[in-house]
Amino acid sequence: GREQNDEYDVNEDFRNVAVGNLIQHISEYDAAGANEYGCYLRDDLDEETGLFLKDKDPSITLVEDRIQMYGEVVSQFVSWGATFQDALLEPTVEGIIARLEEIAATKAEFEGKSGCEEDVMVAEQAETLVSNMKQRSPLALRTMHRLLQQGAETDETLESCMEREKTSQMRLFSKKDGDFVRWAESGKGVGLVGMKGIASTMKEKEDTFSNWNHASVKEVTDDEVEEIVSDA
């Protein structure tokens, strides 16, 4: 049998059903690889939702324990992240959007040309990402980007990142006349759409909310972002 590893695992508390279901919804395969070997995990899933049962912990199934019958595990979420890596590594949200807009603009160049189908698909995905980002709260986008930057620091752990994110979310949710209060009171949607290739996409709503406190991410100040994430 495999030797037990007694080394402390700082992320142990976060190996749970919530994490497993999150991975399931952003990937073509669920966290424990149910789609890799058919109905092996059928008894562990809720019949109505297809999610893991509360008394199960799918995230403890390690890669080496899985049976690879239907090829490699593929995540569209990760694949698109790799495709747009250069754009996503821009130091500002404005820079990310600008780079994605440049990629989206290449659609006219490649559309209709033989052998350029993949280029068109990439351009369309960039177009979708830009559209989605511009529909979201500019302050929330800037805050998320700042949280990702902080989380990339070498001394950060999953626990510290999740605690900071929870505190930041509570500040965004409770801010008087804040974006989330405005959105909740409006009763409108936020134009939710999924990334191409992901099964759990959501249909775009016609009544898209747009009355955010800022017209664009350029209007959000660094001080406003720090107010949300500082000491979080």
Side-chain angles (χ1 to χ4, degrees):
R2 189 169 50 223
E3 295 182 2
Q4 294 293 325
N5 187 353
D6 296 329
E7 183 178 350
Y8 173 66
D9 184 356
V10 69
N11 295 323
E12 181 177 5
D13 292 340
F14 300 98
R15 289 203 175 91
N16 53 34
V17 175
V19 174
N21 284 323
L22 172 62
I23 296 175
Q24 180 177 352
H25 277 282
I26 64 174
S27 172
E28 291 184 350
Y29 289 83
D30 63 51
N35 291 339
E36 293 179 57
Y37 40 97
C39 61
Y40 179 76
L41 296 176
R42 182 172 296 170
D43 293 339
D44 295 345
L45 303 178
D46 180 86
E47 292 182 358
E48 292 186 6
T49 65
L51 301 178
F52 291 103
L53 301 178
K54 292 182 178 179
D55 59 345
K56 301 293 182 180
D57 187 348
S59 57
I60 62 174
T61 304
L62 304 178
V63 174
E64 56 266 31
D65 295 331
R66 302 174 187 171
I67 303 174
Q68 298 277 342
M69 289 183 64
Y70 302 130
E72 297 180 357
V73 177
V74 177
S75 168
Q76 290 291 331
F77 184 81
V78 174
S79 296
W80 284 122
T83 300
F84 300 118
Q85 181 178 11
D86 290 343
L88 298 176
L89 288 177
E90 285 287 328
T92 66
V93 180
E94 303 98 293
I96 292 174
I97 293 177
R99 289 291 299 277
L100 289 173
E101 286 178 329
E102 291 176 4
I103 298 172
T106 64
K107 179 180 178 180
E109 176 186 349
F110 296 112
E111 199 166 27
K113 292 184 178 180
S114 177
C116 295
E117 292 80 9
E118 185 173 331
D119 298 285
V120 173
M121 183 175 63
V122 169
E124 289 178 342
Q125 183 60 63
E127 190 176 49
T128 298
L129 291 173
V130 170
S131 175
N132 289 350
M133 292 176 73
K134 288 185 175 181
Q135 289 175 353
R136 304 301 189 268
S137 159
L139 177 59
L141 283 175
R142 284 286 309 274
T143 298
M144 179 187 69
H145 187 250
R146 182 71 183 111
L147 290 172
L148 290 172
Q149 289 178 322
Q150 288 184 283
E153 299 294 330
T154 56
D155 59 341
E156 293 289 344
T157 65
L158 180 56
E159 182 176 10
S160 66
C161 290
M162 294 190 73
E163 186 63 33
R164 183 184 299 111
E165 182 175 340
K166 181 182 73 174
T167 303
S168 297
Q169 285 180 333
M170 293 304 298
R171 289 174 177 171
L172 286 169
F173 291 158
S174 61
K175 190 177 180 63
K176 187 177 181 180
D177 194 36
D179 283 346
F180 285 92
V181 172
R182 288 188 176 194
W183 166 69
E185 291 177 346
S186 75
K188 293 186 176 182
V190 288
L192 292 177
V193 293
M195 299 181 74
K196 297 181 184 299
I198 293 182
S200 57
T201 56
M202 301 183 69
K203 187 177 181 180
E204 188 170 2
K205 298 181 179 180
E206 295 180 357
D207 58 339
T208 302
F209 179 77
S210 60
N211 189 30
W212 309 114
N213 279 288
H214 306 83
S216 70
V217 291
K218 293 181 180 180
E219 293 187 4
V220 181
T221 66
D222 291 340
D223 288 341
E224 288 177 299
V225 177
E226 289 304 317
E227 182 184 349
I228 300 296
V229 304
S230 63
D231 299 322

